[in-house]
Amino acid sequence: MADKGGLEGIVVARSRLCSIDGQRGVLIYGGYDVNDLAEHSSYEETCFLILRGHLPSGDELESFRRELAASRALSEETASVIDMLATHAAPMEMLRTAVSADSFDDPDKNSNAEEANFRKATRLIAKMPTMVARYQRRRSGQEPIEPDAELAHAANFLYMLTGERPREQAARTFDVALILHADHEMNASTFTARVIASTLSDMHSAITGAIGALKGPLHGGANEQVMQLLEDIGTDENIEQEIRGRLERRERIMGFGHRVYKTYDPRAVILKRFSKQLAEASDEPQWFSMSEHIEKAVMEEKGLYPNVDFYSASTYHYLGIETGLFTPIFAMSRVVGWAAHVIEQHGDNRLIRPSSEYVGPALRPYEPIGQRSASAAA
Ligand SMILES: CC(C)(COP(=O)(O)OP(=O)(O)OC[C@H]1O[C@@H](n2cnc3c(N)ncnc32)[C@H](O)[C@@H]1OP(=O)(O)O)[C@@H](O)C(=O)NCCC(=O)NCCS
């Protein structure tokens, strides 16, 4: 295969965490098929699996749940940073800054020891939903809602966002969406986290950098762009024409294509099912039907399959979540994968420092400023 750049096909780490079979559309966390986890597990249990490498016993799960629930509240300092950002920062700018600020008073901030990293990972998993919900309440002129330790991770987030305890179907759909985004092998943000960790920098720095990488529209930012696409097209009528036009202009259709999957992304299969169920109970069934229609048109025109971001957009929309929060929600889930990769990197570290091929000018003499022509300076 000719080198197309972008480190395609390059193995940069040995990892026990997650594997993908891109030809068959299989995603595995720690030996478990994501379909089985979506069917039987919870986000808390999946976090334990990803962090600790095995499914928890009943006692282990109970104690991890309690630890997460007890860690949800924000420090006064982090809360005030979020309040300050609510009026003028975009959601991912807020999250990137709030996670960074949260390191200031973290009791383990100066330790990269494995148990300190587990504690920091647990706190970040617990706090990021509180950050997103607080920001959203503040920016829409509402009082923040304190976390409820009686509620599970997914349900508590929806509660902090809306002020209402979610129905069973909404809570379970959101829980599964979090499971599906929890880890994904050596994706761009995870690689970013590992590069930062490899300098022996700390967990918060690595997660902050990963959030920056996730923000881009070719990565986690795609889910918001999908909703934008659905709203721009607005109706089922001209979808083929619209998709053909965009592809002819060489525009990317967000939520389609993948570096690794050459078939259906298994996460998209599950989210499509949820989106369909929610559409059937909604008075806005068009978002799902348009999505299905777009999927068909993109397959016919370009042979591309939907990825995780495509049906997560309509699913989140049906759950009443504002489009601007879709990528922060992705980060809220992926934080466990990033953290586990940081722990793995710290556990067997060598500085990640690749090379580049130099294609600049050959060695040349330094010209004093008065002897430089405009073109030579260019
Ligand atoms: C995810 C993504 C960045 C992977 O890119 P990649 O592995 O670098 O693939 P390439 O950019 O080399 O694309 C290969 C070909 O498929 C096309 N392609 C890939 N994704 C496409 C998309 N979403 N829409 C239109 N064309 C696409 C490229 O234009 C290219 O076509 P060409 O060979 O005719 O030039 C890419 O598929 C994409 O941009 N998707 C949209 C953004 C998205 O949904 N991201 C979330 C990923 S989970």
Side-chain angles (χ1 to χ4, degrees):
M1 180 177 66
D3 181 11
K4 290 168 71 186
L7 296 182
E8 181 166 358
I10 306 291
V11 173
V12 297
R14 289 161 61 84
S15 176
R16 63 159 183 83
L17 298 170
C18 177
S19 77
I20 303 173
D21 180 337
Q23 297 300 328
R24 295 194 304 129
V26 179
L27 170 61
I28 289 169
Y29 299 163
Y32 296 94
D33 191 310
V34 79
N35 282 292
D36 289 335
L37 295 170
E39 183 75 28
H40 305 292
S41 187
S42 62
Y43 181 67
E44 288 93 323
E45 185 181 72
T46 300
C47 285
F48 188 100
L49 167 67
I50 291 172
L51 288 171
R52 297 286 180 174
H54 64 93
L55 284 174
S57 68
D59 285 350
E60 284 174 325
L61 182 57
E62 197 37 46
S63 115
F64 184 57
R65 276 204 176 117
R66 271 204 303 273
E67 207 185 328
L68 278 173
S71 308
R72 287 175 183 156
L74 304 176
S75 69
E76 264 179 48
E77 289 75 13
T78 302
S80 69
V81 167
I82 293 168
D83 292 352
M84 186 186 76
L85 294 174
T87 49
H88 58 279
M92 284 298 274
E93 292 173 324
M94 175 285 297
L95 195 59
R96 192 187 57 208
T97 307
V99 166
S100 179
D102 203 51
S103 76
F104 304 161
D105 48 18
D106 191 288
D108 291 307
K109 70 176 182 176
N110 293 320
S111 174
N112 286 339
E114 192 173 75
E115 282 307 317
N117 272 343
F118 280 127
R119 288 192 293 272
K120 285 190 274 192
T122 305
R123 286 195 282 271
L124 280 167
I125 294 165
K127 286 181 203 306
M128 280 170 62
T130 318
M131 292 174 182
V132 176
R134 182 177 185 99
Y135 162 84
Q136 180 61 13
R137 302 277 304 176
R138 281 280 185 235
R139 78 167 176 157
S140 51
Q142 295 170 293
E143 274 303 303
I145 293 175
E146 291 306 313
D148 180 345
E150 296 303 310
L151 292 176
H153 191 83
N156 174 62
F157 172 69
L158 295 175
Y159 165 67
M160 290 190 297
L161 202 59
T162 62
E164 284 169 25
R165 283 172 177 68
R167 287 165 186 260
E168 176 67 33
Q169 187 197 22
R172 181 59 189 153
T173 302
F174 193 64
D175 193 32
V176 174
L178 294 180
I179 292 172
L180 297 178
H181 288 81
D183 196 16
H184 210 232
E185 203 227 21
M186 201 50 65
N187 60 89
S189 55
T190 297
F191 181 52
T192 305
R194 286 192 83 127
V195 170
I196 294 173
S198 85
T199 70
L200 296 185
S201 187
D202 63 291
M203 176 71 77
H204 283 78
S205 299
I207 304 293
T208 302
I211 292 172
L214 187 76
K215 177 171 172 284
L218 295 188
H219 192 7
N223 55 13
E224 296 179 18
Q225 307 276 329
V226 171
M227 201 59 225
Q228 195 60 54
L229 174 75
L230 291 170
E231 282 169 351
D232 285 351
I233 296 181
T235 156
D236 246 330
E237 274 156 34
N238 298 320
I239 284 180
E240 281 82 7
Q241 208 181 328
E242 186 65 42
I243 293 298
R244 202 173 310 126
R246 285 172 189 249
L247 289 171
E248 276 165 10
R249 294 192 296 277
R250 301 198 65 76
E251 289 175 22
R252 293 201 168 211
I253 313 296
M254 292 298 158
F256 286 88
H258 200 274
R259 176 64 64 80
V260 185
Y261 293 116
K262 300 305 165 206
T263 181
Y264 224 108
D265 179 333
R267 303 165 300 174
V269 178
I270 299 170
L271 286 165
K272 181 175 180 179
R273 218 162 48 224
F274 279 117
S275 176
K276 184 169 194 281
Q277 282 165 11
L278 292 166
E280 282 163 3
S282 152
D283 52 7
E284 295 181 336
Q286 74 272 23
W287 305 119
F288 176 74
S289 62
M290 282 173 63
S291 301
E292 258 198 320
H293 204 150
I294 292 172
E295 178 188 336
K296 192 161 168 280
V298 175
M299 178 48 75
E300 277 168 15
E301 290 292 327
K302 194 80 188 171
L304 291 170
Y305 291 91
N307 59 48
V308 69
D309 292 308
F310 190 63
Y311 284 103
S312 66
S314 48
T315 301
Y316 293 154
H317 185 83
Y318 284 128
L319 292 177
I321 297 170
E322 194 176 290
T323 306
L325 300 185
F326 291 4
T327 316
I329 285 170
F330 192 154
M332 260 166 52
S333 163
R334 182 59 57 83
V335 61
V336 63
W338 293 331
H341 279 270
V342 167
I343 293 168
E344 199 172 59
Q345 185 68 38
H346 280 162
D348 183 18
N349 188 56
R350 184 155 189 249
L351 178 72
I352 298 175
R353 198 295 188 195
S355 312
S356 59
E357 179 190 350
Y358 181 65
V359 294
L363 191 63
R364 49 187 170 167
Y366 179 84
E367 297 109 357
I369 194 158
Q371 295 172 20
R372 291 174 208 163
S373 63
S375 61

